Amino acid sequence: MAFGNIYDQYYILYSYISIENIESDKKHITCGVPQGSVLGPTLFLLYVNDMPNASKVLNAILFADDTNLFYSGNNIEYMCEIVSNELMHLNQWFIVNKLSLNINKTNFMIFSNKNIVGDFNINIDGRKIERVFVTKFLGVYIDAKLTWKNHIDCIKTKLSKNVSIMYRVKYLLDSKALYALYCSLILPYLNYCCEIWGNNFHTRLDPLIKLQKRALRIIEHGGYRDHTQPLFYKYKTLRLDDLVKLSSKCVMYRVYNDDLPVHISNKFKTVKLTHSHRTRQYDDLKIVWCRTKQKSFTLSVLGPKMWNNLSTNSKQSTNCHSFKRLYKRELYCVHTCKVFFSFIY
């Protein structure tokens, strides 16, 4: 693509293909900008961020060209009717802005603790979109019950394959190289968004912890039943449950220090306790009450409890990096004491 000459103070944009000094016919472009241009990202943001204005009812979450719309209510039939009407307005926005919506990749999900059965229809431009019970969003599988079981099963499958790879090469590589494989093939899957799906029932996380322990035994060329707690301490790595706690408490540190966007901080519904004088609970956050067990695993409910159990030194860390370092040090000290006392006993 290239810019043409100036005619009457307007730029004419045209495209052509040039191969070995042979150029094709030039075609005028009526909309869009050249791919890779400096102006492209700015115009894209101005272009796409106007999409939520197409509906005053639906709440939108935008990530590049991936758009998610949300609406809540008590009557399923009424909700489907409202959403279909609002999607009609959104489709008009697409037409006006010369965009096309891929109906085959568009679907909807109903989140509820109850078993919602029935044929619920949501249409876009007269075309019915599919209802799904599990969807993938930014690498995380979200199910209609928010149990995260599908995502955990997906991680389990990937870890099983990667642990098998480590086992096949353990006699060809030393412990340092195997640990590098562990950091690239195992840890990323355990770390990614673990504060969301990792606060869960122990029975669901136990298969992942066993695979993590198996990977550490492979690094150390140990036996199948060797104790792994000394290995976690030796390689300065954390178990999955400790990784989840660390990530969750880092989020709460940022919440407490107003280091998150407002629309995210407001989801936690936590406010600092105010006192006229400093007490032991001065840095605590208010506990949010919940009714269901599934809700108790959410960070908005569990996060304040985790934060309140931290030491004063951790809460008063100057930045998130020092907070991580101090909390890891406390975890290592706790686990070392457990191993020591177990040995004495």
Side-chain angles (χ1 to χ4, degrees):
M1 293 184 179
F3 283 104
N5 297 325
I6 300 178
Y7 296 100
D8 297 331
Q9 298 181 348
Y10 288 96
Y11 285 99
I12 298 178
L13 189 64
Y14 58 87
S15 64
Y16 64 93
I17 298 175
S18 177
I19 301 177
E20 296 181 355
N21 297 325
I22 300 177
E23 298 180 356
S24 65
D25 297 335
K26 296 179 176 62
K27 299 293 184 180
H28 292 296
I29 299 177
T30 58
C31 63
V33 294
Q35 184 177 2
S37 65
V38 178
L39 190 60
T42 301
L43 292 178
F44 176 80
L45 292 176
L46 294 174
Y47 196 67
V48 174
N49 287 341
D50 180 58
M51 188 187 303
N53 297 326
S55 174
K56 302 298 182 182
V57 177
L58 304 180
N59 297 318
I61 294 180
L62 305 178
F63 186 85
D65 61 343
D66 194 351
T67 304
N68 293 267
L69 303 173
F70 296 88
Y71 183 72
S72 60
N74 298 323
N75 189 306
I76 300 297
E77 290 78 7
Y78 177 74
M79 290 172 57
C80 292
E81 181 181 352
I82 292 296
V83 171
S84 296
N85 292 333
E86 294 301 318
L87 290 179
M88 180 180 63
H89 299 318
L90 183 63
N91 187 59
Q92 291 296 324
W93 184 90
F94 278 104
I95 295 174
V96 170
N97 289 275
K98 298 182 179 180
L99 293 174
S100 60
L101 180 64
N102 192 335
I103 301 294
N104 296 328
K105 293 184 178 180
T106 303
N107 49 58
F108 74 96
M109 181 186 296
I110 301 176
F111 294 96
S112 176
N113 289 329
K114 301 178 181 179
N115 292 324
I116 306 297
V117 294
D119 187 16
F120 302 103
N121 296 326
I122 295 181
N123 303 301
I124 299 179
D125 194 22
R127 299 177 62 182
K128 181 180 178 180
I129 62 176
E130 178 187 5
R131 178 188 176 185
V132 297
F133 296 90
V134 180
T135 187
K136 188 177 181 181
F137 178 60
L138 300 181
V140 177
Y141 286 92
I142 304 174
D143 59 276
K145 300 292 184 181
L146 294 180
T147 62
W148 310 109
K149 183 179 181 301
N150 298 86
H151 184 72
I152 293 174
D153 289 341
C154 178
I155 295 178
K156 178 183 175 182
T157 302
K158 293 180 179 179
L159 290 187
S160 298
K161 294 179 180 179
N162 293 340
V163 169
S164 178
I165 293 173
M166 293 180 62
Y167 181 80
R168 293 178 183 178
V169 300
K170 71 174 183 177
Y171 296 111
L172 303 176
L173 303 175
D174 57 7
S175 296
K176 184 177 181 180
L178 289 172
Y179 179 72
L181 285 179
Y182 170 82
C183 293
S184 59
L185 298 179
I186 305 298
L187 272 184
Y189 293 108
L190 300 178
N191 273 323
Y192 183 66
C193 288
C194 63
E195 65 273 13
I196 302 299
W197 56 265
N199 293 305
N200 215 315
F201 292 103
H202 179 75
T203 53
R204 290 179 182 162
L205 300 179
D206 189 58
L208 302 183
I209 296 176
K210 289 180 179 178
L211 288 171
Q212 185 186 20
K213 290 181 178 180
R214 186 182 176 189
L216 284 178
R217 293 189 184 102
I218 293 174
I219 295 174
E220 195 65 13
H221 297 87
Y224 180 76
R225 301 182 66 87
D226 288 354
H227 291 290
T228 55
Q229 189 60 54
L231 301 182
F232 281 102
Y233 182 77
K234 176 181 178 180
Y235 292 102
K236 301 298 180 182
T237 187
L238 299 178
R239 273 182 27 143
L240 174 59
D241 47 357
D242 289 329
L243 286 172
V244 173
K245 293 177 183 178
L246 176 61
S247 298
S248 301
K249 292 177 181 181
C250 286
V251 173
M252 296 312 302
Y253 175 86
R254 299 182 64 185
V255 169
Y256 182 82
N257 291 277
D258 299 325
D259 195 28
L260 288 175
V262 176
H263 67 279
I264 296 179
S265 298
N266 291 339
K267 300 296 182 181
F268 291 92
K269 298 181 180 179
T270 56
V271 294
K272 300 177 183 179
L273 292 172
T274 56
H275 302 280
S276 58
H277 58 283
R278 180 174 290 274
T279 64
R280 286 181 296 179
Q281 290 79 29
Y282 182 82
D283 294 321
D284 286 356
L285 297 174
K286 284 187 177 180
I287 305 299
V288 179
W289 180 85
C290 66
R291 182 177 57 86
T292 63
K293 185 65 175 179
Q294 193 66 41
K295 176 67 175 179
S296 67
F297 289 135
T298 60
L299 203 56
S300 59
V301 176
L302 193 60
K305 297 179 182 179
M306 290 183 173
W307 175 262
N308 295 347
N309 291 330
L310 287 173
S311 64
T312 304
N313 291 334
S314 297
K315 294 178 182 179
Q316 296 177 355
S317 300
T318 56
N319 53 60
C320 193
H321 180 72
S322 61
F323 173 80
K324 286 183 179 179
R325 184 174 63 251
L326 186 59
Y327 181 68
K328 282 185 178 180
R329 188 183 305 166
E330 292 178 356
L331 280 177
Y332 290 137
C333 290
V334 170
H335 292 317
T336 303
C337 292
K338 286 182 179 179
V339 173
F340 176 74
F341 285 119
S342 176
F343 175 77
I344 293 295
Y345 182 78

